[in-house]
């Protein structure tokens, strides 16, 4: 996956740039949004809104950070704004479940056990406070380095390490119950 440069972004047609950004980062942003709201439908709506914000603010990208970091900062802020919003606090949403696809080659029994363990782990992660959930998601699911997580979350590297350690301890405690 190529990194978008400030020169390329400012030289190209905005529609071409946003198409490239959506192709390159769309699934990641959707997964990030889902990690905050735990609803596929709301995550899809948030993803669209995030890309609209990105489109409107492309001229502000200065290249000081990687484009991905800049976009993730927009996404995380937008998700946090949504969680603080009146709509989120006062509306009741339906529960979405991931549907899993089991390959024909896999043993059905093992697949069911793995699915149950994955679901249990994901449920535990979703119950974590936001500051822990986001570092777990960024570190394990998006495989970002600690320094990149610090940039995205606007915290120090030691803070990220502490949050990861506390999040793992909380998860261990939840899963042992």
């Amino acid at each position: 996956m190529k990194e978008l440069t400030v020169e390329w972004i400012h030289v190209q047609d905005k529609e071409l740039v946003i198409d490239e950004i959506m192709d390159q980062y769309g699934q990641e942003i959707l997964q990030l949004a889902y990690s905050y709201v735990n609803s596929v439908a709301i995550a899809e709506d948030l993803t669209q809104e995030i890309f609209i914000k990105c489109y409107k603010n492309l001229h502000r990208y200065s290249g000081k950070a990687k484009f991905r970091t800049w976009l993730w900062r927009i996404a995380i802020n937008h998700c946090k704004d949504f969680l603080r919003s009146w709509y989120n606090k006062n509306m009741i949403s339906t529960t979405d479940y991931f549907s899993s696809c089991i390959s024909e080659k896999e043993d059905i029994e093992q697949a069911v056990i793995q699915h149950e363990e994955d679901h249990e782990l994901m449920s535990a992660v979703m119950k974590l406070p936001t500051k822990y959930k986001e570092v777990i998601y960024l570190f394990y699911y998006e495989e970002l380095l600690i320094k990149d997580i610090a940039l995205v979350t606007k915290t120090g590297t030691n803070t990220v390490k502490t949050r990861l350690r506390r999040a793992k301890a909380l998860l261990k405690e939840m899963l042992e119950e």
Side-chain angles (χ1 to χ4, degrees):
M1 199 162 25
K2 72 173 185 173
E3 183 66 32
L4 302 176
T5 64
V6 69
E7 295 82 18
W8 186 82
I9 289 171
H10 292 299
V11 170
Q12 297 295 326
D13 179 42
K14 277 179 90 171
E15 283 74 23
L16 174 69
V17 173
I18 200 67
D19 283 345
E20 179 70 26
I21 292 167
M22 289 170 63
D23 287 343
Q24 199 165 340
Y25 300 106
Q27 189 61 36
E28 291 178 13
I29 297 297
L30 178 62
Q31 290 170 339
L32 175 69
Y34 181 84
S35 75
Y36 277 91
V37 297
N38 201 21
S39 165
V40 172
I42 294 173
E44 288 171 346
D45 290 344
L46 289 174
T47 300
Q48 287 181 345
E49 294 166 7
I50 289 163
F51 283 117
I52 290 170
K53 275 187 175 180
C54 175
Y55 179 79
K56 289 180 178 178
N57 292 295
L58 275 174
H59 66 281
R60 291 186 176 174
Y61 176 63
S62 64
K64 290 180 182 175
K66 289 183 179 179
F67 183 80
R68 183 175 190 236
T69 304
W70 181 79
L71 179 60
W72 278 64
R73 187 75 251 148
I74 291 172
I76 288 172
N77 286 337
H78 190 73
C79 290
K80 286 180 178 180
D81 288 346
F82 174 78
L83 292 175
R84 287 189 295 261
S85 71
W86 177 92
Y87 176 84
N88 182 51
K89 291 178 181 176
N90 295 300
M91 299 303 286
I92 300 171
S93 65
T94 60
T95 305
D96 290 318
Y97 293 99
F98 279 120
S99 57
S100 67
C101 299
I102 300 173
S103 127
E104 293 176 23
K105 295 179 184 177
E106 288 180 341
D107 178 34
I108 299 294
E109 185 177 326
Q110 185 60 36
V112 169
I113 292 169
Q114 185 64 46
H115 176 74
E116 185 64 32
E117 289 172 353
D118 291 348
H119 180 72
E120 187 178 346
L121 177 61
M122 182 55 81
S123 293
V125 169
M126 296 314 262
K127 291 176 185 174
L128 290 173
T130 302
K131 66 183 180 180
Y132 298 134
K133 184 177 9 177
E134 73 185 358
V135 294
I136 288 288
Y137 178 79
L138 294 172
F139 188 76
Y140 288 104
Y141 293 94
E142 292 303 325
E143 299 176 350
L144 289 181
L145 300 173
I146 289 179
K147 66 178 183 166
D148 292 333
I149 296 171
L151 281 172
V152 168
T153 59
K154 292 186 179 176
T155 59
T157 56
N158 288 335
T159 303
V160 172
K161 290 176 188 176
T162 301
R163 287 181 182 176
L164 272 171
R165 188 175 57 254
R166 288 181 182 163
K168 285 189 244 181
L170 286 171
L171 285 172
K172 183 178 179 184
E173 192 177 297
M174 282 185 219
L175 294 173
E176 286 177 349
E177 292 177 354

